[in-house]
Amino acid sequence: MEQELISKKELLELTKISYGQLYRWKRKNLIPEEWFIRKSTYTGQETFFPKERILDRIEKIKNMKGDVSLDELANMLSPNLTELVRKREDLIKLNIISKSTLEFYTEERGKDKELNFEKILYLSILDNLFDSGKINFDEGKLILTFLDEYYPKFKGKNCELLFLRKLGISSCCLVSKPNEINFENSMKVVEKLNISDLIEELKIKLV
Amino acid sequence: MEKNMMNLEIKGSGSSEGGKYNTVVIKGNGKIDGNLDCNYLEVQGHCEVNGNVKSESVKVNGNNSIKGDLEADEIEIHGEVNVDGNLSVEKIHTHGMISVNGNCNAESFTMEGAFKIRGLLNAGELELKLHGPSEAREIGGEKIMVKRNGRVKFTRIRKLIMPFGFDTGLTTDIIEGDEIYLEYTNAKVVRGNDIELGSGCNIKLIEYQNEFKQHEEAEVVTYKKIRKT
């Protein structure tokens, strides 16, 4: 999982923000601690960031800064699940979850009128996987039960959902980040979903 | 916070298991084994907490050592505070000594005395008046001001007693901020928009964007202007 890094200096030049702003956003937890990667260089210790993610994040902060306060923004960007409830129809209307996924969920879990954020998150995970054609409905069931049981333990943490297949048998697991995980060669990682990123996207769409 | 919470008061010597309180007042010697969550914490004397402290307002006259994290809106210290974990606060004012083993986050940090921070000192406004040797691994923020010793009178006498210098400055690897004023600071790198160095500075590399001023007694190995793109 090698990722391209960008030094702090390059980042500031590229995004035209000042040191003060960067430190302020860090204090407000708009930029997660684990993105600050310290490395030794000839001038001593320097800080680097995962390039794609930090650029994306700074773009987001800059775009939204006018509309909401920094604290609200931090709330939006943190992996904590918000206390938010949405009606079924709204989810389809807002184009967050497809109709077929919602029907699948109704079959499995019955017809609640309103869904809380956690459920919406599960649904959007399923939606993602169904949409890419990587899993079938049976496997969807597997993931749904799995998430129901184990996701609450990871609540608020940075984590990734892995969907695996070996010799036609499928399975899934949750891995907290940052962490490295290796499988033997015949195990195929069908899909890797970063849940924190997904939560972020969802929050922006829902708010 | 909920109302009808209990108050904890230790006068003389005593210990508690911690918990959730409205106000916690310790006069004398107190020991708390566990996490403390309260609206107001006041220590007059000595207090040792084996856990995290979360309080809206903290006032210490004396000595307070915390084995976990300290989180508060407002902190006022006259004396000494040791935090083993991280310190995060909106506004902190210290007269005396503060040491933090982890990182320190503050919107406003004013201090007269000395400090030792193992991690990053991240503050919106930082105003340090040093009375003794201080150190931090990194300092970052918007406005950073480091001055030595408010009472100038004594420096001459001190020079008579210790003519080869008495290391009362600040030592750090990196200082980064928008507006920076430094005195008696040893740093490897200082980066910022406007940088001004007073006497007694020793800095290996300066990178500035707008303006750079230097006192004749400040020592700088290299400095360069970074173009605004």
Side-chain angles (χ1 to χ4, degrees), chain A residues 104-121:
Chain A
F104 163 80
Y105 183 81
T106 318
E107 248 170 63
E108 286 302 308
R109 295 285 137 94
K111 213 171 181 160
D112 323 327
K113 262 218 165 133
E114 286 180 334
L115 295 163
N116 62 19
F117 190 78
E118 219 166 290
K119 292 279 154 12
I120 298 173
L121 174 67

Side-chain angles (χ1 to χ4, degrees), chain A residues 8-9 12-14 16 18-24 26-29 33 38 42-47, chain B residues 103 105-107 120 122-124 137-138 140-142 174 176-178 189 191-193 205 207 226 229:
Chain A
K8 196 190 272 174
K9 213 157 96 189
L12 297 190
E13 268 172 40
L14 207 65
K16 299 191 184 70
S18 72
Y19 286 108
Q21 269 170 311
L22 187 72
Y23 280 104
R24 165 180 285 252
K26 187 188 182 190
R27 278 202 306 280
K28 294 281 182 197
N29 287 325
E33 181 76 42
R38 298 169 56 74
Y42 66 96
T43 49
Q45 290 274 330
E46 292 268 359
T47 308
Chain B
N103 297 322
N105 282 330
E107 285 308 313
L120 164 74
N122 184 345
R137 196 193 66 202
E138 263 178 77
E142 279 132 80
I174 303 172
E176 289 172 335
D178 294 345
V189 189
R191 299 191 180 101
N193 296 347
L205 174 67
E207 287 178 4
I226 305 292
T229 43

Side-chain angles (χ1 to χ4, degrees), chain B residues 4 13 22 25 35 46 48 59-60 73 80 90 98 112 130 140 150 152 156 160 171 174 179 181 190 193 211:
Chain B
N4 310 324
S13 180
N22 182 24
V25 178
N35 294 336
H46 178 90
E48 192 185 318
K59 206 171 178 180
V60 177
D73 287 344
E80 187 180 348
E90 283 292 314
I98 183 162
E112 260 190 64
L130 302 178
V152 194
R156 285 231 173 113
L160 280 177
T171 311
I174 303 172
E179 282 172 50
Y181 177 82
V190 176
N193 296 347
E211 221 180 69

